[in-house]
Amino acid sequence: MTDLISGRETLEEVNMIVFCGGFSNSDVLGSAKGWAGAFLYNPKAKQALDKFYAREDTLSLGICNGCQLMVELNLINPEHKHRSRLTHNDSHKFESSFLGLNIPENKSIMLGSLSGNKLGIWVAHGEGKFMLPEPEDRYNIVAKYNYAQYPGNPNGSNYNVAGICSNDGRHLAMMPHLERSVFPWQQAWYPLDRRNDEVTPWIEAFVNARKWVEERIK
């Protein structure tokens, strides 16, 4: 962020951004609001981000706090009249657990090839409830919690949503921790007949991203 704010970094040579999870700016103003402000109120950072999203050879991924940032900056569905939001979990507490996700048919560059799978993944957040004011079919939903009731849906998200993607499939925001679930030893449970897997199916998301970028920079 310091590089973007100062102008040392412009993102012109970057094809993919990953907004990582964590607690940016201590989240003292609410999840990712301080981080979002660093883009919104610093002209060079804002210009770099706007130019990045205006290009057609870019991808982005936001995980947990990064997902909150992407939604706060309205990067997923800027065309919608009513903005999406992420709010406090219905439980009013921090939720950390290993849950099942359903990957529906979707148009995501990263997760499209995993459509139809049910996969385990970690969540760890206090403000992960997707508030989606538009009808469900207006969103490119890439991940849903396996069942609607708590704790299967740990935050009470509308439509049981765990992740959404831009309509063109390039920009993905999800609350569960994709990066924490790519090795079998990271899983709280893994099928016995697949214990010898070197990686889990989640790695496919990153392979898909790499192949997509390679096609565009040949």
Side-chain angles (χ1 to χ4, degrees):
M1 290 306 302
T2 301
D3 289 341
L4 288 167
I5 289 167
S6 68
R8 289 192 298 269
E9 174 60 64
T10 64
L11 303 178
E12 290 174 359
E13 296 181 355
V14 174
N15 289 90
M16 184 175 180
I17 294 177
V18 179
F19 299 108
C20 60
F23 294 94
S24 59
N25 298 278
S26 303
D27 284 347
V28 291
L29 302 174
S31 290
K33 286 183 170 57
W35 192 1
F39 280 108
L40 295 174
Y41 302 114
N42 289 284
K44 290 180 180 178
K46 180 68 165 57
Q47 183 182 49
L49 195 69
D50 288 346
K51 286 184 175 180
F52 178 88
Y53 278 91
R55 288 161 50 195
E56 295 185 356
D57 62 344
T58 59
L59 298 176
S60 61
L61 169 66
I63 299 291
C64 197
N65 201 215
C67 171
Q68 294 163 340
L69 174 72
M70 292 182 76
V71 172
E72 185 70 23
L73 291 174
N74 201 26
L75 297 175
I76 301 298
N77 294 115
E79 74 281 1
H80 284 183
K81 180 180 179 181
H82 303 101
R83 288 186 58 166
S84 302
R85 300 286 181 188
L86 279 162
T87 63
H88 289 279
N89 301 342
D90 282 354
S91 64
H92 301 292
K93 63 181 181 179
F94 185 88
E95 298 286 346
S96 179
S97 57
F98 186 77
L99 300 172
L101 287 192
N102 173 44
I103 310 298
E105 289 293 329
N106 69 86
K107 298 177 292 183
S108 164
I109 301 299
M110 295 187 72
L111 294 183
S113 66
L114 289 171
S115 296
N117 279 276
K118 292 181 180 291
L119 301 171
I121 199 167
W122 290 99
V123 298
H125 56 252
E127 296 180 39
K129 180 178 181 177
F130 275 97
M131 299 291 288
L132 304 173
E134 303 278 349
E136 183 175 359
D137 61 6
R138 296 212 61 206
Y139 298 98
N140 184 10
I141 296 171
V142 299
K144 287 190 172 192
Y145 299 109
N146 275 352
Y147 64 97
Q149 290 74 29
Y150 178 85
N153 178 343
N155 45 52
S157 286
N158 297 160
Y159 314 127
N160 305 327
V161 166
I164 57 175
C165 191
S166 59
N167 285 333
D168 61 11
R170 295 191 293 129
H171 307 297
L172 169 62
M174 56 188 292
M175 286 306 297
H177 284 271
L178 186 66
E179 83 293 352
R180 252 188 241 178
S181 307
V182 295
F183 297 110
W185 58 264
Q186 293 176 307
Q187 310 282 297
W189 182 89
Y190 202 71
L192 185 61
D193 62 349
R194 297 193 58 165
R195 289 292 170 88
N196 292 325
D197 288 358
E198 184 178 354
V199 290
T200 74
W202 289 115
I203 197 67
E204 199 167 307
F206 297 102
V207 173
N208 290 338
R210 176 180 60 82
K211 288 180 176 178
W212 188 91
V213 170
E214 283 177 345
E215 285 295 316
R216 276 144 191 83
I217 62 174
K218 283 182 178 179

